Amino acid sequence: MKEFGFPKSQKIKAKKEFQTVYEKGHSVVDGLAVFYVLPGENEKVKIGFAVGKKVGNAVIRNHVKRLMREVFRLHKGELKPHFRVIWVARKRLAQADCKTFERVFLRLAKRAGLLQQVQS
């Protein structure tokens, strides 16, 4: 059951690390969110979440971040290792339901080339 955990080693929290991914990584854009992706040296995917004040008040922003973390936690096993990702929410994502968060995450991950190939 450990594969569904979300340890601190998989979180990007430092401002300097966010800036590195923003500056050196490439972006994948969607109407509801943006992924900034940078190949990393870590064996697992590291992710950071960004929800700006334009999205809403603190309660709304925290709710959006909780949903983003949950979607990542459930789908991180499907992602390729050795990447650092910043997931930036746009204003319209605040009105979305959990399934929409999932669809946005998987769509952006696929476009960024982060999804592992399924073995048949």
Side-chain angles (χ1 to χ4, degrees):
M1 232 15 172
K2 279 277 193 197
E3 70 259 11
F4 288 112
F6 191 21
K8 285 185 180 183
S9 63
Q10 291 182 325
K11 296 175 186 173
I12 297 175
K13 290 200 166 226
K15 183 177 181 177
K16 195 172 187 176
E17 200 168 357
F18 269 88
Q19 287 305 115
T20 302
V21 176
Y22 284 137
E23 291 168 4
K24 295 181 180 175
H26 70 279
S27 61
V28 181
V29 181
D30 187 80
L32 299 173
V34 179
F35 264 19
Y36 290 91
V37 180
L38 180 67
E41 65 285 338
N42 204 357
E43 72 239 11
K44 300 212 179 213
V45 172
K46 284 186 80 171
I47 191 162
F49 304 100
V51 183
K53 288 188 176 182
K54 289 182 180 180
V55 173
N57 63 24
V59 174
I60 293 169
R61 291 194 311 268
N62 287 331
H63 178 71
V64 169
K65 281 188 270 188
R66 277 194 301 275
L67 288 172
M68 290 165 77
R69 279 193 299 269
E70 182 64 10
V71 168
F72 170 73
R73 190 183 68 79
L74 293 173
H75 292 285
K76 70 180 181 179
E78 301 169 28
L79 302 177
K80 293 178 184 175
H82 310 294
F83 281 98
R84 288 184 279 176
V85 179
I86 305 293
W87 186 2
V88 181
R90 290 190 166 171
K91 192 172 184 174
R92 287 183 28 212
L93 195 61
Q95 287 85 37
D97 62 342
C98 193
K99 286 289 182 195
T100 305
F101 275 77
E102 244 179 321
R103 280 195 301 271
V104 168
F105 177 81
L106 292 173
R107 183 170 49 231
L108 287 172
K110 184 177 180 182
R111 278 197 219 152
L114 296 175
L115 291 179
Q116 293 181 5
Q117 299 298 321
V118 179
Q119 302 285 327
S120 296

